[in-house]
Amino acid sequence: MELSDIDIILAVARSGKISQAAKELNYAQSNVTTRIKKLEQEYQVQLFNRFPKGVVLTSKGEQFVQYATRIRDLLNDLEQDMTDPGEPSGTLKIGIVETAASSRFMEILNEYQVTYPEVSISLVNATSPKVLRKKIQEYEIDGAFISGACVKEGLKVEYEMQDTVHIISKRMDVPPESLCQVSWVVFPKGCPYREITEEYLQEEGLSARNIIEVSTMDNLLSCVESGVAFTIMPCSVIHKKPDEFSVYDLAERFTHTTTTFVRGEDRYVSSALDRFVKLLNQKCITF
């Protein structure tokens, strides 16, 4: 087996199509097919089930992919370790949930950028912890802020902060008499704050007149500020215009949430990421 065979198997497993993997790797499709057959003959196993519309991993293929992923991870770490100059430089890619992009966080980023001007920071926004976890595992980002409970297997928590969530509406001098006919604005499925909203409505016996799904914080706040809907979010999301909103407490069981900064466990930590984590802990950032 050659190291390039690992990339071939991983690419085919990702796409489910030999033609697409060949295009991604800039190989001839016949070459990819030949390499797969050669591996199967070498190990005397079938790695893929072939179908007219693509391929699917067999159980042995899934085992191969697990080992191949670990080998590729080690090779990537080796490359980074050998090329890291020690002084922070290059690109630092950080995944961040929409709710975490507060003014306090931006202050930390600004201080980091001033201190380490050779580092280019790239922010990747998402509303789902699952999406950010996948991006970490696939080397698309160096680490991520993840809100709510998340599966930490394979991840190392470098920083953790507590927060509280509340019902937020447009500015009202008098609290609403009933929430039975209120519309609610939420992020797409997978967002922990959407899960809290749905659990709250169910346990309180409330029927949302309408669930409005948006994908950005700006759109969510516009819906709330205009009176179109209520939302359940941390108060930090309204830090720019607090006077435009009213905030109501939730029952204790819904109130507390956690945001963590995580990276891949047992993965190489670049000097750029190491300094970022140290700054987070030094400043004890809260959103």
Side-chain angles (χ1 to χ4, degrees), residues 43-267:
Y43 291 107
Q44 297 184 347
V45 296
Q46 184 175 336
L47 298 175
F48 295 96
N49 287 317
R50 279 77 168 175
F51 299 97
K53 293 186 178 181
V55 297
V56 177
L57 287 167
T58 63
S59 58
K60 283 295 184 181
E62 290 176 352
Q63 284 183 293
F64 188 98
V65 165
Q66 290 177 3
Y67 280 105
T69 301
R70 287 160 58 186
I71 293 170
R72 174 46 63 197
D73 288 350
L74 286 173
L75 289 173
N76 286 338
D77 286 349
L78 174 62
E79 181 179 358
Q80 290 186 58
D81 199 358
M82 293 299 100
T83 58
D84 191 345
E87 185 64 22
S89 62
T91 301
L92 179 63
K93 296 181 180 179
I94 300 172
I96 183 167
V97 288
E98 286 274 345
T99 52
S102 68
S103 58
R104 180 68 177 127
F105 173 67
M106 293 305 169
E107 290 173 8
I108 294 291
L109 277 187
N110 181 63
E111 180 173 343
Y112 180 89
Q113 191 71 90
V114 170
T115 307
Y116 306 109
E118 297 302 314
V119 178
S120 175
I121 300 174
S122 175
L123 295 182
V124 179
N125 283 17
T127 58
S128 167
K130 184 181 294 186
V131 170
L132 292 174
R133 178 188 177 91
K134 187 170 185 289
K135 288 182 180 296
I136 291 175
Q137 293 171 331
E138 295 183 354
Y139 289 86
E140 293 183 30
I141 56 178
D142 298 297
F145 290 98
I146 295 180
S147 294
C150 69
V151 178
K152 295 186 174 66
E153 183 180 354
L155 299 177
K156 178 175 175 56
V157 176
E158 292 285 10
Y159 189 79
E160 184 172 289
M161 64 211 85
Q162 301 300 317
D163 205 348
T164 58
V165 296
H166 305 267
I167 296 174
I168 302 175
S169 73
K170 73 171 185 178
R171 170 61 66 183
M172 296 181 181
D173 295 328
V174 180
E177 293 183 3
S178 173
L179 295 176
C180 290
Q181 297 302 314
V182 168
S183 295
W184 299 83
V185 58
V186 297
F187 285 134
K189 289 285 188 181
C191 171
Y193 301 109
R194 176 174 182 151
E195 294 173 2
I196 292 174
T197 301
E198 292 174 344
E199 183 181 353
Y200 167 75
L201 293 176
Q202 182 178 358
E203 290 199 13
E204 294 296 313
L206 299 173
S207 58
R209 183 178 58 191
N210 187 28
I211 291 291
I212 303 171
E213 184 177 294
V214 298
S215 57
T216 69
M217 182 59 69
D218 285 343
N219 287 340
L220 183 143
L221 292 179
S222 292
C223 287
V224 177
E225 187 177 359
S226 65
V228 170
F230 284 32
T231 193
I232 293 180
M233 287 281 161
C235 286
S236 56
V237 303
I238 59 172
H239 69 275
K240 291 182 179 178
K241 297 191 292 184
D243 295 337
E244 301 297 321
F245 301 90
S246 290
V247 177
Y248 311 99
D249 291 336
L250 285 163
E252 182 72 16
R253 64 184 178 278
F254 299 112
T255 299
H256 300 288
T257 186
T258 302
T259 297
T260 53
F261 182 78
V262 297
R263 62 171 177 82
E265 189 177 30
D266 299 328
R267 292 286 312 283

Side-chain angles (χ1 to χ4, degrees), residues 1-14 21-22 24-25 27-28 30-43 47-48 57 61 64-69 71-72 75:
M1 182 182 72
E2 300 177 15
L3 288 177
S4 57
D5 292 334
I6 289 176
D7 294 325
I8 288 175
I9 297 300
L10 291 178
V12 174
R14 264 195 317 270
E24 175 187 329
L25 298 171
Y27 287 166
S30 58
N31 187 21
V32 172
T33 301
T34 300
R35 299 279 286 275
I36 293 175
K37 288 181 177 179
K38 183 180 177 182
L39 274 177
E40 290 178 326
Q41 291 171 358
E42 180 178 344
Y43 291 107
L47 298 175
F48 295 96
L57 287 167
F64 188 98
V65 165
Q66 290 177 3
Y67 280 105
T69 301
I71 293 170
R72 174 46 63 197
L75 289 173

